[in-house]
Amino acid sequence: MTTTATETAAMPVYPKNFLRSLRRQNVFTAFAGGIVGFLVMRVAASLFFRGEFWHGDSNRIITVAFIGWGVGFMAGIGAFNGVFRWFAGKDLDHAEAEYMAGKDLGVKRYFRYTTDHKVVGIQYLVVTMVILAIGGTLAMLIRTQLGISMELFNPNTYNSFVGTHGVAMVVGMILVVTGPIGNFIVPMMVGARDMAFPRLNALSLWLVVAALIPLVMSLFMGGIRDGWTVYQPLAIQAPPGAVGYIFFIVIFSISTAVSSVNLLVTIVRMRARGMTWSRTPIFVYSVAASVGLALPFFPFYMYSQLLALSDRTLSTSFFIPERGGSVWLYEHIFWILGHPEVYVIILPGIGACLEIMVVFLRKPLFSFRTAVVGIAGIVALAGLVWAHHMFMTGWAPLAGYPFMISTEMISIPLSLIVLVMIGTMWRGKVWTRLPMMIIYAVVFNKIIGGLTGIFLSDVPADMHFHGSMFVTAHFHYMLMGTGLFGAMAAIVFWFPKMTGRMFDERLGSIGFWTAFVGFQITFMAMFAAGNLGMPRRVFQSSELFLLSNQISTVGAYMIGVGMLIFLAALISSWKSGVIASSNPWGSQTLEWQTPTPVPLENFPVLPVVTSDPYQYGVPDPYQVERDLETQKEPVA
Amino acid sequence: MSAQPETNELRSPTTGEPIAVVARRNLLGVLLLIVADVSGTIVLCMSYLYLHYLNTNKSWLPEGKESLWNTTGMNITWPGTVQPAVEWHFWAISGGILVLMLLFWQGVRSLRRGSSATMVSAALIVTLGLIGLSVAQYLQVRSFPFDPTDGGYASALTVIGISNFLHLLLSAFLAAAIWNRTRVGRISPENPYQATLVAVWLTWITISSVILACLTFFLISPSTDPTLFGTFGS
């Protein structure tokens, strides 16, 4: 991607009238504000509703207390400062904007309401790791229970672990590429100085942090015992832990909407001069498609939970059949997001793989347009497939067939993308580095996940597989096998740009391969158990499935060990890895054309794009690797 | 975040970019946020109509309270299941929002022609009007002739009322901000874009309010032999 100079960033001098309150606000004041808000509102609600904390009107009390938590937390971090300043007519000047972006604040900027997209990207990375760690730990506990024939936990605790694991992992997967990489890399990739709305960017991140506490608290309030889908009317009878789930989803949905708008506007309006759609990197397409799906569909998820909250606190009856409600209504609203959410997760991971593989194969993407058509096809069909989750619910049996066809049709654009991946690999001169190894794994997992999904989209076959461990194995191949492994490739690939250091590929490879082998053991055995008829979400199963479960549990431990090794590689590389040059992979996209560490304004000179980003003509890709040894640039 | 060299063109004090560039970006952002809000309105419509057509357990309308519905006193039999809208309060509030939205647009128009004073007046009136409508919406929800527990219709109408209420509160805040920012000169004939954005938002909440009010046409459920729950013996 050729770049030329167009303008030089001039730095006018503004009076240093920084926001006083912002200096004192950080993650600690946020938590303090949240706790105060929670306690004040909890006491006020107790007095108003005259209920006890754990009984009686506890739903209303906890609802009000969580509102207090959210408002207090966001006030404590400084999210409302900008709103009130805007109301008062005091717009930020350039110096204030730079202060908010964390200029000269050092490591403190990672603990504040910082607006610089690169800081937000790193913050997202850490927050996502925390969410995945919570979900992963619960997965180990779940597998431990299923792998032995004795009772480790009581059934309610087990169910609660399953529900919390599910929702934590779903949210973690949604964030894992779009959060860190989307925020850090995409603005640079399109040649922008920052995201379109920097303050909204910080808002989206801190909303996720605020949402986490209700989720964790739900474990101590009876838990989320009805799975991540929290089907009604079971959930309406669940303990107040369900309110924690509802708040987690509602706050996260708001964060997603804000983040989606920000990324879309950045991509549509802030691309560098000359970056036509045909010159826009494929990863940008995939992120745009992902957030473009999340924006209209996530409100469905949010409203499904708001209506459930209304049933719990206002005694309405949206989902209570005895009083005129319908559980099918819940399932429709839930799955209208619930299925597109799969594509929200996997599209950025796949896009990252497409983006990375051309670098390590030193050849253009095989049919860029086919990849774009594949992504567009998924977006077009994603909203038409939700009811295949309802084949067995008794809802409109004849409607199953159009949904079966639409679901099977969506495998066509997905297959197009796989074909582009295989076509790009075909006769490529492979530069064997860790990201490329992970991409092979992603292609393998995606094929397995895609093929098994066809069985589930088929009405007669789904009668056998529905609600079984086969389904669990299938969606883990899609979400984890494609989404999470794709994210690992993305993190290793963009790690030098994000941290200024090379990822320790030796240790990372040990972690990745251990996790990959463990993944196959876990979920192949789970396919077998599901095919034999083992249902999902069971506390104890028949002896018939014990061997499969034991194999799965061993595999799960391997995944856990592998992920820990990978995490250790990430932390040690971040701390003391080899200093990276500005473009260690010899990539041609814009983010690699700027120095490392990336300056506050990304580009000293705004780039102009004159060609597509995949003009690879390097005859010897290994030359780049040799260059790496000589291009040592200091990291500040 | 780059600051540009000084020219005659009005520039953002934050980024140094031309105001028109920032405005185009902001307009797209507001339109996309409206897309998300549209989904919320679709969920409310879907919930109302779904429960209306299912009439699960014959509990769509509250039992024995049908007479309280016809607050307009109209007694017209329409074909099929479409009935005259009986909840005139919704229509009154929707009409109020429509008038305020038109007034706000008029203010924006005047602003673009050079009159900030008209915009200040319009924004102030719209703010007060929206606060008044918020109170009216609150009172309507509090004075429904049924409880939220009285079936699908009662549930849907209560939540629609709350949704309208929250829309009105947010809009009142935005209109008040435009009043203040115009008053202190941040919004001016040379920089009218934020007022336009709020006008676009007001247009959407007017449409949303009218759509939700239209739902009240669908009163009597067409399902005369619905699924029964809670009486498993039958």
Side-chain angles (χ1 to χ4, degrees):
Chain A
M1 188 172 280
T2 312
T3 64
T4 57
T6 54
E7 59 184 272
T8 306
M11 293 289 179
V13 178
Y14 288 93
K16 293 200 172 184
N17 180 24
F18 296 144
L19 310 174
R20 277 189 185 177
S21 57
L22 260 186
R23 288 184 179 184
R24 292 192 289 266
Q25 287 179 301
N26 53 43
V27 67
F28 303 108
T29 55
F31 274 93
I35 291 166
V36 169
F38 182 89
L39 293 175
V40 168
M41 294 300 274
R42 181 240 175 281
V43 171
S46 293
L47 293 173
F48 187 78
F49 295 121
R50 296 179 190 284
E52 296 173 32
F53 191 83
W54 301 106
H55 304 289
D57 269 339
S58 57
N59 283 316
R60 290 181 177 182
I61 293 170
I62 291 172
T63 299
V64 174
F66 276 145
I67 291 172
W69 158 262
V71 173
F73 184 92
M74 297 314 288
I77 196 68
F80 300 134
N81 298 9
V83 178
F84 289 122
R85 279 177 60 94
W86 174 76
F87 187 95
K90 295 174 183 170
D91 290 339
L92 290 178
D93 62 31
H94 189 68
E96 287 171 329
E98 283 192 326
Y99 180 78
M100 287 195 73
K103 188 181 183 186
D104 302 329
L105 283 177
V107 78
K108 283 182 186 171
R109 66 192 194 276
Y110 293 104
F111 299 93
R112 309 166 72 95
Y113 195 79
T114 304
T115 56
D116 181 15
H117 71 99
K118 299 179 284 295
V119 175
V120 176
I122 297 292
Q123 290 170 324
Y124 258 117
L125 183 63
V126 174
V127 171
T128 307
M129 293 293 171
V130 170
I131 296 172
L132 292 176
I134 294 170
T137 305
L138 293 173
M140 294 298 113
L141 295 173
I142 293 164
R143 284 310 324 168
T144 305
Q145 171 61 50
L146 289 175
I148 59 174
S149 50
M150 57 187 279
E151 195 170 305
L152 271 182
F153 321 106
N154 67 51
N156 267 336
T157 305
Y158 174 83
N159 284 343
S160 169
F161 285 175
V162 171
T164 309
H165 159 74
V167 71
M169 285 310 212
V170 164
V171 167
M173 297 294 177
I174 289 170
L175 290 176
V176 72
V177 177
T178 312
I181 312 293
N183 277 287
F184 198 112
I185 297 297
V186 165
M188 290 195 288
M189 205 173 224
V190 299
R193 293 208 183 280
D194 201 337
M195 295 282 268
F197 308 114
R199 278 184 282 177
L200 288 189
N201 205 18
L203 177 69
S204 69
L205 178 275
W206 288 105
L207 281 171
V208 175
V209 180
L212 268 177
I213 300 305
L215 179 71
V216 174
M217 282 185 71
S218 72
L219 283 168
F220 306 100
M221 297 190 300
I224 304 162
R225 63 176 203 189
D226 307 304
W228 85 278
T229 54
V230 290
Y231 279 142
Q232 308 292 338
L234 279 176
I236 195 82
Q237 303 153 12
V243 179
Y245 171 89
I246 290 169
F247 268 86
F248 177 63
I249 293 305
V250 170
I251 300 173
F252 178 69
S253 299
I254 296 169
S255 163
T256 303
V258 169
S259 175
S260 300
V261 167
N262 214 349
L263 277 162
L264 280 174
V265 175
T266 305
I267 291 167
V268 173
R269 288 272 185 238
M270 296 180 71
R271 293 196 317 284
R273 197 181 301 169
M275 186 179 275
T276 58
W277 285 111
S278 62
R279 291 175 182 166
T280 303
I282 196 72
F283 179 63
V284 176
Y285 275 93
S286 69
V287 170
S290 172
V291 296
L293 277 174
L295 182 67
F297 288 116
F298 249 94
F300 282 84
Y301 192 9
M302 184 173 92
Y303 269 78
S304 73
Q305 299 313 312
L306 284 175
L307 297 184
L309 184 68
S310 166
D311 280 1
R312 289 181 79 97
T313 56
L314 300 177
S315 302
T316 54
S317 51
F318 286 99
F319 308 130
I320 303 171
E322 302 95 281
R323 300 209 308 263
S326 168
V327 292
W328 285 327
L329 174 63
Y330 177 82
E331 293 203 29
H332 280 298
I333 301 174
F334 179 87
W335 285 114
I336 285 176
L337 170 274
H339 201 81
E341 165 255 8
V342 173
Y343 307 111
V344 171
I345 290 173
I346 67 171
L347 275 173
I350 292 173
C353 290
L354 287 167
E355 191 67 51
I356 295 166
M357 68 195 315
V358 295
V359 176
F360 292 98
L361 290 158
R362 312 311 294 179
K363 57 184 285 206
L365 203 59
F366 173 81
S367 188
F368 175 84
R369 286 184 183 175
T370 305
V372 173
V373 167
I375 291 171
I378 291 170
V379 172
L381 290 170
L384 304 173
V385 299
W386 81 89
H388 71 245
H389 291 273
M390 297 171 65
F391 285 161
M392 297 299 112
T393 62
W395 172 77
L398 286 177
Y401 296 100
F403 279 102
M404 179 177 80
I405 292 167
S406 64
T407 308
E408 289 177 353
M409 276 175 66
I410 207 165
S411 63
I412 296 171
L414 268 171
S415 304
L416 286 179
I417 296 174
V418 175
L419 284 176
V420 170
M421 291 174 119
I422 294 172
T424 308
M425 288 177 193
W426 182 253
R427 306 186 83 173
K429 195 173 180 183
V430 184
W431 184 13
T432 313
R433 300 295 292 258
L434 179 55
M436 195 61 209
M437 293 295 98
I438 301 177
I439 289 169
Y440 286 131
V442 169
V443 174
F444 179 81
N445 290 338
K446 189 165 174 293
I447 290 172
I448 303 280
L451 287 176
T452 50
I454 293 173
F455 291 98
L456 300 175
S457 66
D458 186 79
V459 176
D462 190 57
M463 293 176 88
H464 172 63
F465 290 120
H466 183 84
S468 75
M469 280 296 200
F470 188 93
V471 180
T472 310
H474 155 71
F475 70 70
H476 277 84
Y477 263 93
M478 292 306 282
L479 302 186
M480 187 178 175
T482 306
L484 187 60
F485 281 109
M488 288 164 75
I491 288 169
V492 175
F493 179 70
W494 278 295
F495 192 81
K497 186 54 68 179
M498 294 173 79
T499 65
R501 294 179 185 274
M502 297 301 291
F503 194 88
D504 181 351
E505 291 184 60
R506 189 184 179 87
L507 191 58
S509 295
I510 295 169
F512 159 68
W513 284 114
T514 308
F516 177 74
V517 173
F519 180 83
Q520 305 305 327
I521 293 171
T522 304
F523 295 106
M524 285 295 178
M526 207 176 276
F527 275 131
N531 199 25
L532 285 171
M534 181 179 168
R536 299 166 65 184
R537 295 167 180 156
V538 290
F539 176 55
Q540 285 175 325
S541 60
S542 158
E543 288 291 315
L544 176 66
F545 312 120
L546 187 60
L547 179 62
S548 302
N549 274 313
Q550 285 170 339
I551 294 172
S552 278
T553 300
V554 171
Y557 287 152
M558 282 182 70
I559 297 175
V561 170
M563 289 299 178
L564 284 176
I565 296 171
F566 191 86
L567 185 64
L570 191 145
I571 293 169
S572 69
S573 306
W574 204 332
K575 197 176 167 189
S576 55
V578 175
I579 305 287
S581 64
S582 60
N583 189 6
W585 311 118
S587 176
Q588 295 190 350
T589 41
L590 287 179
E591 78 276 18
W592 296 104
Q593 315 310 323
T594 191
T596 303
V598 184
L600 184 63
E601 304 205 347
N602 291 349
F603 299 95
V605 174
L606 274 181
V608 171
V609 178
T610 56
S611 63
D612 77 53
Y614 306 123
Q615 299 278 322
Y616 287 102
V618 182
D620 176 14
Y622 299 97
Q623 181 64 38
V624 178
E625 196 176 30
R626 283 194 287 274
D627 289 347
L628 175 63
E629 295 165 8
T630 55
Q631 292 178 5
K632 301 275 170 70
E633 290 182 11
V635 172
Chain B
M1 254 186 300
S2 74
Q4 306 295 325
E6 279 190 27
T7 65
N8 291 331
E9 194 174 18
L10 197 60
R11 287 176 180 269
S12 159
T14 311
T15 65
E17 296 167 297
I19 287 290
V21 171
V22 178
R24 276 199 297 276
R25 195 181 297 157
N26 291 352
L27 177 61
L28 181 60
V30 168
L31 291 175
L32 289 171
L33 281 174
I34 287 174
V35 167
D37 202 57
V38 168
S39 295
T41 301
I42 290 173
V43 174
L44 293 179
C45 293
M46 187 176 157
S47 303
Y48 184 103
L49 294 172
Y50 201 90
L51 299 182
H52 165 79
Y53 279 101
L54 277 185
N55 192 19
T56 314
N57 234 26
K58 291 189 177 174
S59 297
W60 165 243
L61 291 177
E63 197 176 353
K65 293 186 180 175
E66 288 84 349
S67 59
L68 291 172
W69 255 245
N70 203 340
T71 49
T72 55
M74 288 191 292
N75 188 19
I76 306 166
T77 305
W78 283 31
T81 60
V82 178
Q83 300 293 319
V86 291
E87 287 298 337
W88 65 269
H89 310 85
F90 275 122
W91 289 104
I93 292 167
S94 296
I97 301 173
L98 178 67
V99 170
L100 294 174
M101 182 266 288
L102 292 173
L103 182 62
F104 198 90
W105 271 115
Q106 186 57 40
V108 173
R109 210 172 142 194
S110 302
L111 181 67
R112 287 180 179 276
R113 286 178 180 168
S115 170
S116 294
T118 311
M119 183 72 244
V120 171
S121 309
L124 182 61
I125 294 168
V126 169
T127 303
L128 296 174
L130 287 168
I131 291 169
L133 288 177
S134 307
V135 173
Q137 184 65 77
Y138 173 78
L139 292 174
Q140 189 212 7
V141 172
R142 294 291 295 180
S143 60
F144 278 145
F146 44 71
D147 291 328
T149 53
D150 285 343
Y153 178 80
S155 302
L157 235 54
T158 302
V159 172
I160 286 171
I162 293 171
S163 165
N164 262 344
F165 175 73
L166 295 176
H167 265 170
L168 288 165
L169 273 189
L170 175 60
S171 305
F173 176 81
L174 294 173
I178 295 302
W179 163 72
N180 191 45
R181 289 176 65 81
T182 313
R183 193 176 58 80
V184 300
R186 288 288 181 188
I187 292 171
S188 61
E190 297 77 35
N191 182 10
Y193 303 109
Q194 291 188 349
T196 309
L197 296 182
V198 173
V200 169
W201 168 256
L202 283 174
T203 307
W204 157 243
I205 69 148
T206 308
I207 294 168
S208 168
S209 173
V210 170
I211 290 171
L212 293 174
C214 283
L215 288 175
T216 58
F217 280 121
F218 299 90
L219 183 61
I220 307 297
S221 172
S223 176
T224 52
D225 186 20
T227 312
L228 296 179
F229 288 91
T231 53
F232 293 103
S234 59

